[in-house]
Amino acid sequence: MTASSIANRSLSDLARQTRAAARNLAALSGADRNFAVSAIATALAENAEAIAAANAEDLVAAAAEGIPQPLQARLKLDASKLQGAIAGVRGVEGLPDPVGLVQIRRELDAGLILERVTCPLGVIGVIFESRPDALIQIACLALKSGNGVILKGGREALHSCRILVDVIHRALASTAVDPAAVQLLTTREEIRALLSLDSEVDLIVPRGSNAFVRYIQDNTRIPVLGHADGICHLYIDATANREQAIAIAVDSKTQYPAACNAIETLLVHADAAPTLLPAIASSLRERGVTLRGCERSRKIVPMAAATDEDWATEYCDLLLSVRVVDSAADAIAHINTYGSRHTDAIVTDDAAVAETFLSQVDTAGAFHNCSTRFSDGFRYGFGAEVGISTQTLPPRGPVGLEGLVTYKYRVVGDGHVADTYSGEDAKPFTHRDF
Amino acid sequence: MTASSIANRSLSDLARQTRAAARNLAALSGADRNFAVSAIATALAENAEAIAAANAEDLVAAAAEGIPQPLQARLKLDASKLQGAIAGVRGVEGLPDPVGLVQIRRELDAGLILERVTCPLGVIGVIFESRPDALIQIACLALKSGNGVILKGGREALHSCRILVDVIHRALASTAVDPAAVQLLTTREEIRALLSLDSEVDLIVPRGSNAFVRYIQDNTRIPVLGHADGICHLYIDATANREQAIAIAVDSKTQYPAACNAIETLLVHADAAPTLLPAIASSLRERGVTLRGCERSRKIVPMAAATDEDWATEYCDLLLSVRVVDSAADAIAHINTYGSRHTDAIVTDDAAVAETFLSQVDTAGAFHNCSTRFSDGFRYGFGAEVGISTQTLPPRGPVGLEGLVTYKYRVVGDGHVADTYSGEDAKPFTHRDF
């Protein structure tokens, strides 16, 4: 037996245990599920020192290995970050129960009632990078929504992930939730094995780069909720309000440049460019932004030349590409060619142009006269979020608990058979909604 | 250049034309889209003779090739079937517009409004078997929901598919819809090419066997709405009403045995089996059903022995496997092991047992005291259906127009920037739903 087939077999056993635990979890009341989430918050607070110590081990190793500074920063789980994570868990506890919602209630005929009711997905596999606080949030979202969860964190966060799952397991032991509902994978080989378990795992949530999400999609039959990069745009129309255009450009680029909802490309209408582009460029440069532009924009504001590659790049940095376009239609065409269907905004005082832009731009977030940085589950009022999906199918955009539930149709009758409603003298359905 | 890369390139051009036509289609009003659907219904009626003649060519070829009789029957598109298909198109015309529905409307802060609005997916690829009437229904569902559609029918239906798409194109020429929104692929090689166009095609709907749906899933990055086989169960509990148990078993198996919502396995509680199983077996045998049973059921009613393979088989025929179980929990475990998450029913007079079954059975349709044959978009009152999805994620079960739309978040402000809501003196969001 090869190492990989052993990994496959043992992981498959583990996934079956998770599935069994998830079935029991799904049968619990919302109060029982919330009690488990609450127990985790309490246990995290009680074990803060041990968690910080384990995290310190990861940080020392990361520094020794020369892991890039931003990654080290994300890896850090100090007292203040843990406090924030615990507050997040309490927030999840306070969210409405996503399970058992009746979406449709319809009489098909007298005494024959159809209901569509939300229910957990089953078992969710989450593959995330270094941030150990993501583990806490995702585990609690999964339990709140009645799902088992198999977690795979980054190798550099191993000690942190181990103690967090250990604390979660001990917390769950005092609740109605079987600790086996939360599992941790620790080796890279297990990712491949996890992706092959399409009969035991119902959804994969990869959190990482576009390339990583693509790799996952190419190597599994399991549905993928991709939290991928964002190539977001801001289009300044001919009739844009000058102050709004400057403020929104600055906020969308610089408020948090590493965020997926920050803009990478600024599109400016040719009529507005001569007066507006210099002012916007100067405000951005004051905040340390480097610009790369098309030929036309470079004639208005001197800057390095942008290449085709720039239009397709998420910089995650204080870099912005700039292009002058002749119309809103050209801006929409540029976005629909190079965008990643994340978030794209227009600044205009022309209501008709705004409506065309909002309806034709192919994106999860179509914004008018506001910053792209609002594209976020917390800001939308969804509470915690699983990720921001750049896929076309629902759930897309910022995804909260609703991405972790599905529904089933329940039909309850009193001996009803389909033959009554078929053939020559078929009885008609009433199809009456309650 | 290989034949396959030529197919790839030309199909990619065609898909881009479809995408462009779909973008225009998406910008049309519901009335314009409905007018296009109506024009198709009219054109089909006007071209009934030519359609029948083209279909006759396919039928002659199919008979000459010795294609199995049931397939020949499905291939047939005579005057009466076309009449039914046209009525179906009129039905689609009458369905509520799935585009532009506001699902969420929320104030984030004064003057900053979030809306979640349904919109078309874009371009849908549909791969279906011999039934040419499926082409008509799917094309009209796609247009109604504002989507472009690339259709690939069975080789044996080539003449029928060609004339139908030709009639649709001519009908659309007199409407606001660009005929390029509907495309027909005619060769098998194009399926592979279609599956690789993940930047041009947003959803693949394969209609065929489980193996076919699996093949599609394994060979594309495009989301798949799988219309696959159903391994449906009926469980007769200890407290089942005798008459209901018999009637529901007969209807679920024999009302239309080839349907995906017909049952393949009957599970009977050990306490009910001695009295109920003989009566059910006799009623089923009267209707030509052959039974295969577990050891315990064979001691009550003589029948052939069932193997493990039987529990995992969709017969699509007058065949039924039978198993005696000791409890509802055992029935649920059997279904969750062998079922295909399609439709599974319980007959019981015990409300608590029914509730446990409905909540714990892992299926899109969980039924109580009624036939599994009700699991159908028309019977649920959804009008036309794209297919019945056996996937866990929504849309699952019978999928109507809602499976062909997604949504986008629109945020409209008046110069709002995220920085206002961040840091020390962050302004709070109001998050007030309208």
Side-chain angles (χ1 to χ4, degrees), chain B residues 405-430:
Chain B
V405 295
T406 182
Y407 50 73
K408 61 170 74 166
Y409 290 94
R410 289 170 169 228
V411 181
V412 178
D414 188 26
H416 292 71
V417 294
D419 203 45
T420 312
Y421 308 86
S422 306
E424 293 281 304
D425 49 352
K427 192 176 182 198
F429 288 102
T430 57

Side-chain angles (χ1 to χ4, degrees), chain A residues 92-318:
Chain A
V92 170
E93 195 187 336
L95 291 173
D97 190 353
V99 176
L101 303 175
V102 178
Q103 300 177 322
I104 296 174
R105 190 168 153 75
R106 178 175 298 163
E107 181 196 83
L108 303 185
D109 190 17
L112 186 65
I113 308 300
L114 168 76
E115 282 188 339
R116 189 165 94 181
V117 185
T118 60
C119 58
L121 287 175
V123 175
I124 299 160
V126 184
I127 308 169
F128 55 102
E129 288 176 323
S130 50
R131 282 180 48 206
D133 46 331
L135 183 155
I136 299 172
Q137 187 179 32
I138 289 168
C140 290
L141 286 168
L143 295 176
K144 170 91 180 185
S145 53
N147 292 288
V149 63
I150 300 176
L151 301 152
K152 170 70 182 74
R155 190 183 54 83
E156 64 287 357
L158 186 58
H159 294 95
S160 310
C161 290
R162 275 201 175 132
I163 193 163
L164 289 173
V165 169
D166 188 48
V167 167
I168 290 171
H169 279 168
R170 280 184 282 138
L172 293 180
S174 66
T175 74
V177 177
D178 181 347
V182 179
Q183 307 277 3
L184 179 69
L185 306 185
T186 53
T187 71
R188 204 177 174 75
E189 297 69 52
E190 288 169 317
I191 294 182
R192 192 92 197 189
L194 176 68
L195 297 181
S196 71
L197 296 177
D198 58 308
S199 57
E200 301 299 342
V201 178
D202 302 287
L203 179 70
I204 295 282
V205 182
R207 294 172 56 120
S209 67
N210 273 329
F212 175 66
V213 171
R214 284 223 143 197
Y215 168 82
I216 299 292
Q217 286 172 326
D218 286 349
N219 286 282
T220 190
R221 217 179 250 155
I222 304 169
V224 175
L225 181 68
H227 174 99
D229 301 341
I231 300 176
C232 303
H233 299 76
L234 178 65
Y235 166 57
I236 310 292
D237 187 45
T239 66
N241 172 293
R242 182 183 174 88
E243 279 62 48
Q244 291 192 4
I246 297 169
I248 292 171
V250 166
D251 192 80
S252 296
K253 181 68 238 182
T254 71
Q255 210 258 334
Y256 183 20
C260 56
N261 56 15
I263 57 168
E264 311 303 334
T265 301
L266 179 74
L267 303 166
V268 187
H269 192 289
D271 293 351
T275 56
L276 264 179
L277 192 49
I280 294 174
S282 140
S283 293
L284 287 168
R285 282 174 169 161
E286 275 171 30
R287 283 160 186 84
V289 178
T290 301
L291 304 176
R292 295 181 187 169
C294 68
E295 278 310 303
R296 293 164 79 184
S297 54
R298 294 175 72 206
K299 283 184 186 147
I300 300 167
V301 174
M303 59 181 105
T307 66
D308 263 9
E309 206 181 318
D310 281 293
W311 311 131
T313 300
E314 182 182 32
Y315 302 119
C316 282
D317 207 345
L318 288 170

Side-chain angles (χ1 to χ4, degrees), chain A residues 340-359:
Chain A
S340 66
R341 303 182 180 184
H342 191 297
T343 305
D344 302 282
I346 183 174
V347 181
T348 185
D349 279 349
D350 184 324
V353 171
E355 181 49 38
T356 301
F357 182 89
L358 295 181
S359 70

